[in-house]
Amino acid sequence: MEMEKLVSLCKRRGFLFQSSEIYGGLNGFWDYGPLGVELKRNIKEAWWRDMVTGHDDLAAPPGAPEAYEMVGLDCTIIMHPQVWKCSGHYDLFVDKMVDCKESKKRYRYDQVPGRWVESRGQKLFVTTSVEENQEADIEHRALKFLNLRAKDAADLTWQSPLISLAKIDPSDYGKVLGPDAKSLGTLTDPRDFNLMFKTIVGALGTEEDAAFLRPETAQGIFVNFKNVCDSTRVRVPFGIAQMGKSFRNEITPKNFTFRSREFEQMEIEFFCHPKSSPQWYQYWRDRRVKWYTDLWLASDRLRLREHDKEELSHYSCGTSDIEYAFPFLAAGEFGELEGIAHRGDFDLRSHMEGKLVARDGQLVVEQGPDGKPKWKGSGKDLSYRDDLTNERFIPHVIEPSAGADRGTLAFLCEAYCEDQAPDEKGEMQTRVVMKFHPRIAPVKAAVFPLVKKEGMPEVAQDIYRALKQRWHVFYDEKGAVGRRYRRQDEAGTPFCITVDGQSLQDKTVTIRDRDSLKQWRVKIDDVESELGQRLA
Ligand code: ATP
């Protein structure tokens, strides 16, 4: 599937718009249109229902070491600034960037791909800014820089495969041809750039009043751990779920909504006994993959990738990413949909004791030059006492952290299909159809009178009103019925219900299935129960 087709369908049919588009848009910000908002809400609701309200607290689900409870939270976006100092985000939530002195552009230095090439005694590292056909673009740029023609391509000796600028020693930056530069050596050394959006709370506006828009929802859960334990009767193991907006001032937002500056997360912090934490980590990896495949993300485009030792954060005992082969990525590449991390007791301890660092394989409170904690924790006791065994311990945490917008984008990519279907005259035509799982489809059914006369609209409107009590359904009487079907196929509506001449005589209607294109007749009185079964 070509990404441009999906992007244009999203705009044309109202799934996604650029934010503030009439003013030229704002890079990294996106709005959901009338269809998009329903799709994203359905995805979030499916997550909340499957993870929280629909979870059976009484029995161990398949693969889980034992039964567990799940509760929810909804925390503020702006929190006490100390939260981010103790969590490590204030010091460490950085991406490295490089600036180009010639083009004045800024890049995330691990996202600048390039290749070493040698020609006629000169060795240089040629980079590219394009997403597709990167090697061809690099060759083209190398030839152009060296004043060679396409037919001289054999004069180029490639010294490396495609590698990231991050792999190049900054002392070699004099030999780098930047992604948008015409001369060598225009990139600055990499510098840290903190991704948190800063804001000021209150009218005084001093630096002491600086606060941050949360870059993740997780910290709101950790700082409320004690509140939840004290106000409910949850016992470890249990999970706390939260979904909501997060903000990251990404250096290079790109790939449609994949990397945005404002986005929504769906996060669970699962608290368990340290001894059983490895089993819980396994459980949550499998549980979360199953959630995506149950909603029809195809397993051959989805993978679970365990991080290598070098990739792990200093506190993590294991992290896996659920990744999807987004169509805007090169063949064989995958993009992260969700991370599942075993975080040990890092987070609760950080908020008790202060910001932690790893020293000789241990987590210790980081000290400032005065020998005191660099960032002091809350001092509150966030340990847990098991009232059956009387054991007191700091729970370990397993964190499945998903992005609602990345999920929505993956479901959009997966759903997009082009197939052949007969038009009104019976001739085969290419049809664009969004094959969403019925649970997440924005509109569940459309109701049409075949023609706008002979009492058909009245019957169709009655059916529409009855179904509307339970589902988001759509009524349409404009234009040829074939065109109306096509519009619903593009919106991903699983069923179309048509009232025709026969309906007036025998009180039946046809139901058409979006994917198989099968049509069958159902009594008007049975339409609701039929849909109920098929949408379940
Ligand atoms: P990436 O490596 O792609 O920047 P990350 O590893 O920093 O992602 P996490 O901090 O693990 O991401 O965040 C959890 C989830 O939040 C991600 O799996 C993703 O679905 C979502 N997410 C993170 N950053 C963004 C973003 N800029 N835009 C949209 N979704 C995001």
Side-chain angles (χ1 to χ4, degrees), residues 93 108 216 248 250 257-261 263-265 267 336-339 401-406:
F93 194 55
R108 222 176 103 168
E216 60 173 36
R248 297 183 187 180
E250 300 278 1
T257 58
F258 181 83
R259 189 170 300 288
S260 308
R261 289 178 165 141
F263 55 95
E264 262 182 281
Q265 290 186 307
E267 297 196 290
E336 176 181 331
L337 268 187
E338 169 162 351
S401 167
D405 305 86
R406 278 203 195 162

Side-chain angles (χ1 to χ4, degrees), residues 73-80 83-90 92-93 194-197 212-224 241-250 260-269 313 315 336 339 341 343 346-348 350-351 397 399-403:
L73 264 185
D74 185 18
C75 308
T76 57
I77 285 169
I78 295 177
M79 300 168 69
H80 194 293
V83 169
W84 307 109
K85 292 180 175 156
C86 290
S87 70
H89 285 81
Y90 185 79
L92 301 171
F93 194 55
N194 195 302
L195 299 184
M196 284 199 294
F197 278 98
F212 302 93
L213 305 190
R214 65 180 176 200
E216 60 173 36
T217 60
Q219 298 304 322
I221 300 181
F222 296 127
V223 301
N224 274 297
Q242 164 160 237
M243 54 190 180
K245 291 268 183 174
S246 292
F247 300 81
R248 297 183 187 180
N249 199 1
E250 300 278 1
S260 308
R261 289 178 165 141
E262 174 174 343
F263 55 95
E264 262 182 281
Q265 290 186 307
M266 309 188 290
E267 297 196 290
I268 295 170
E269 303 306 327
S313 332
Y315 49 78
E336 176 181 331
R343 300 179 58 90
F346 176 79
D347 305 279
L348 291 178
S350 302
H351 289 301
V397 168
E399 176 189 77
S401 167

Side-chain angles (χ1 to χ4, degrees), residues 31-45:
D31 294 338
Y32 287 81
L35 285 178
V37 66
E38 297 298 336
L39 175 67
K40 186 170 155 187
R41 281 177 65 115
N42 291 342
I43 291 166
K44 290 193 296 176
E45 272 166 30

Side-chain angles (χ1 to χ4, degrees), residues 117-287:
V117 65
E118 202 175 312
S119 178
R120 298 177 188 171
Q122 190 175 9
K123 188 175 167 192
L124 58 156
F125 186 74
V126 183
T127 65
T128 175
S129 57
V130 303
E131 291 290 324
E132 282 170 20
N133 301 326
Q134 294 180 326
E135 302 207 346
D137 187 59
I138 288 172
E139 180 178 285
H140 173 75
R141 299 194 70 227
L143 290 170
K144 199 161 170 202
F145 176 79
L146 295 161
N147 272 325
L148 297 172
R149 299 188 202 181
K151 66 178 172 54
D152 301 325
D155 286 358
L156 302 176
T157 315
W158 296 102
Q159 306 264 333
S160 78
L162 210 55
I163 52 172
S164 153
L165 180 69
K167 297 260 187 285
I168 307 294
D169 195 295
S171 64
D172 277 337
Y173 277 17
K175 299 176 194 144
V176 173
L177 181 65
D180 298 282
K182 293 201 178 68
S183 34
L184 293 184
T186 61
L187 298 182
T188 61
D189 281 0
R191 279 185 294 145
D192 283 348
F193 175 75
N194 195 302
L195 299 184
M196 284 199 294
F197 278 98
K198 210 180 204 182
T199 188
I200 297 291
V201 175
L204 291 176
T206 65
E207 190 57 26
E208 264 98 88
D209 304 312
F212 302 93
L213 305 190
R214 65 180 176 200
E216 60 173 36
T217 60
Q219 298 304 322
I221 300 181
F222 296 127
V223 301
N224 274 297
F225 172 73
K226 191 168 156 46
N227 278 338
V228 172
C229 288
D230 291 349
S231 62
T232 65
R233 294 191 304 174
V234 285
R235 301 190 63 246
V236 166
F238 71 92
I240 306 180
Q242 164 160 237
M243 54 190 180
K245 291 268 183 174
S246 292
F247 300 81
R248 297 183 187 180
N249 199 1
E250 300 278 1
I251 299 168
T252 37
K254 61 178 178 184
N255 291 332
F256 211 12
T257 58
F258 181 83
R259 189 170 300 288
S260 308
R261 289 178 165 141
E262 174 174 343
F263 55 95
E264 262 182 281
Q265 290 186 307
M266 309 188 290
E267 297 196 290
I268 295 170
E269 303 306 327
F270 188 80
F271 301 94
C272 57
H273 192 282
K275 277 202 193 115
S276 54
S277 59
Q279 287 103 288
W280 284 112
Y281 172 56
Q282 290 296 329
Y283 164 74
W284 278 107
R285 290 169 14 134
D286 299 341
R287 176 71 194 94

Side-chain angles (χ1 to χ4, degrees), residues 244-461:
K245 291 268 183 174
S246 292
F247 300 81
R248 297 183 187 180
N249 199 1
E250 300 278 1
I251 299 168
T252 37
K254 61 178 178 184
N255 291 332
F256 211 12
T257 58
F258 181 83
R259 189 170 300 288
S260 308
R261 289 178 165 141
E262 174 174 343
F263 55 95
E264 262 182 281
Q265 290 186 307
M266 309 188 290
E267 297 196 290
I268 295 170
E269 303 306 327
F270 188 80
F271 301 94
C272 57
H273 192 282
K275 277 202 193 115
S276 54
S277 59
Q279 287 103 288
W280 284 112
Y281 172 56
Q282 290 296 329
Y283 164 74
W284 278 107
R285 290 169 14 134
D286 299 341
R287 176 71 194 94
R288 292 301 306 149
V289 170
K290 186 168 181 306
W291 188 76
Y292 290 102
T293 50
D294 282 351
L295 288 174
W296 295 0
L297 271 202
S299 46
D300 55 341
R301 277 188 287 276
L302 198 68
R303 74 172 187 194
L304 185 70
R305 188 181 64 84
E306 183 86 41
H307 284 205
D308 310 330
K309 279 268 173 297
E310 310 83 77
E311 249 184 299
L312 291 181
S313 332
H314 59 275
Y315 49 78
S316 181
C317 324
T319 297
S320 307
D321 287 344
I322 301 176
E323 301 180 328
Y324 181 72
F326 284 98
F328 47 76
L329 299 173
E333 279 187 22
F334 289 73
E336 176 181 331
L337 268 187
E338 169 162 351
I340 297 120
H342 183 313
R343 300 179 58 90
D345 59 6
F346 176 79
D347 305 279
L348 291 178
R349 272 188 60 199
S350 302
H351 289 301
M352 282 167 74
E353 303 167 26
K355 188 190 162 208
L356 301 174
V357 284
R359 192 143 303 141
D360 305 325
Q362 300 286 324
L363 287 174
V364 294
V365 175
E366 184 177 355
Q367 304 203 323
D370 55 2
K372 294 191 181 142
K374 183 173 180 203
W375 303 118
K376 226 169 120 214
S378 67
K380 299 280 182 297
D381 181 7
L382 303 181
S383 66
Y384 172 85
R385 190 179 64 82
D386 186 319
D387 52 10
L388 296 181
T389 61
N390 246 335
E391 186 189 2
R392 186 170 279 286
F393 59 95
I394 300 174
H396 277 199
V397 168
I398 313 298
E399 176 189 77
S401 167
D405 305 86
R406 278 203 195 162
T408 304
L409 183 59
F411 285 116
L412 277 165
C413 294
E414 184 72 24
Y416 186 97
C417 263
E418 286 178 15
D419 63 10
Q420 297 286 311
D423 66 7
E424 285 94 279
K425 297 181 202 111
E427 281 169 30
M428 293 309 267
Q429 301 285 353
T430 301
R431 145 182 110 128
V432 173
V433 50
M434 298 299 285
K435 293 189 175 175
F436 296 120
H437 188 291
R439 269 185 89 189
I440 63 169
V443 180
K444 306 301 179 198
V447 187
F448 308 150
L450 185 64
V451 289
K452 219 160 68 177
K453 54 189 181 195
E454 294 160 19
M456 290 182 212
E458 289 73 11
V459 177
Q461 284 165 18

